[in-house]
Amino acid sequence: MTEPASTIVWDFPTRLFHWTLVVLILLQYLSGEFGLIPMAWHYWLGYATLALVVFRVLWGFLGSTTSRFASFVRGPGAVLRYVRTIAAGRDVRAVGHNPLGGWSVLLMLASVIVQSVSGLFATDDLTETGPLADRVSDATVEWMTRAHHLNRWLLALLIALHVVAVLMHWVIRRDNLVAAMVHGRGRAGTDDRVRIAPAWRAILLFAISAIAVALVVTLGAGA
């Protein structure tokens, strides 16, 4: 059987998003959880994270083939078949995210969005208060604060599961997903066509995302 050819599977904006998000989340845990970085940075890192995930959502509809939600979000049946195939020891090659990995991406994106948005309204009732906390009711602030604190553990769990899955791919299936997310190359069949979206579109979408977040924070806080 002929091995699938190596080709560009992950575009540069997706790879840059991935590793930038890794750094931002790490720094936010170091500031918000361990106090190793001033809390002033926690706010700016949160704004940057929110702009980044807004971009990723837009890129999920307008980006390259493998970055689009339509290419990797599958129904329960497809996920179950994939799990059964893997459990049976048969090799399944997917161009981009596999059906199970696709849902992992959605869950982590959702968790990061919850963490970023809830942080805008959260407070510790001492020295730290989100920029939009004064614009909502006390009950909403309390709810958002609870969500911000609880979701940090859910996000940490999802990240841990993601790391374990990547290591299993590497050790068991000899599929180095970390390297693929660095150089962007992966194995694809001759019938697998990966259309790479132009760089200007990624720049435009990120600019829109950053401006939108900046307007929400500045206008909301100053209203």
Side-chain angles (χ1 to χ4, degrees):
M1 182 179 295
T2 305
E3 279 291 311
S6 176
T7 186
I8 292 294
V9 172
W10 302 113
D11 58 51
F12 181 72
T14 299
R15 287 178 279 144
L16 184 60
F17 159 83
H18 180 276
W19 294 114
T20 303
L21 186 62
V22 169
V23 173
L24 288 174
I25 290 178
L26 174 60
L27 292 176
Q28 285 176 95
Y29 273 102
L30 290 178
S31 58
E33 197 67 33
F34 302 104
L36 299 179
I37 299 175
M39 274 300 294
W41 281 93
H42 192 74
Y43 293 93
W44 291 105
L45 292 167
Y47 305 152
T49 300
L50 184 55
L52 200 63
V53 293
V54 170
F55 159 77
R56 184 60 185 90
V57 171
L58 295 176
W59 198 240
F61 294 100
L62 301 172
S64 304
T65 304
T66 51
S67 299
R68 296 194 179 201
F69 299 128
S71 73
F72 61 80
V73 178
R74 295 290 181 264
V79 175
L80 184 59
R81 286 192 297 273
Y82 175 79
V83 172
R84 285 175 174 172
T85 302
I86 294 297
R90 297 195 296 273
D91 189 27
V92 179
R93 293 292 176 182
V95 180
H97 295 295
N98 60 57
L100 190 59
W103 280 101
S104 173
V105 170
L106 286 187
L107 286 175
M108 281 194 288
L109 277 177
S111 184
V112 173
I113 290 173
V114 168
Q115 196 66 8
S116 300
V117 172
S118 63
L120 298 175
F121 302 90
T123 180
D124 63 359
D125 290 323
L126 294 172
T127 59
E128 305 299 337
T129 301
L132 304 185
D134 292 338
R135 308 306 166 193
V136 295
S137 67
D138 291 342
T140 300
V141 170
E142 182 180 355
W143 190 87
M144 287 292 190
T145 301
R146 187 178 296 115
H148 196 67
H149 286 294
L150 292 178
N151 185 69
R152 60 179 174 169
W153 300 115
L154 174 60
L155 179 57
L157 175 62
L158 291 173
I159 292 172
L161 291 175
H162 179 70
V163 171
V164 170
V166 168
L167 290 176
M168 289 179 64
H169 268 270
W170 197 347
V171 174
I172 298 176
R173 303 180 62 191
R174 298 295 187 269
D175 194 2
N176 191 341
L177 300 180
V178 176
M181 195 52 69
V182 172
H183 52 59
R185 302 192 70 83
R187 284 174 286 185
T190 55
D191 295 332
D192 298 317
R193 299 181 62 187
V194 178
R195 294 182 177 87
I196 303 299
W200 65 262
R201 187 183 301 171
I203 295 172
L204 177 61
L205 292 177
F206 181 74
I208 292 173
S209 304
I211 291 171
V213 170
L215 289 175
V216 168
V217 173
T218 56
L219 296 182

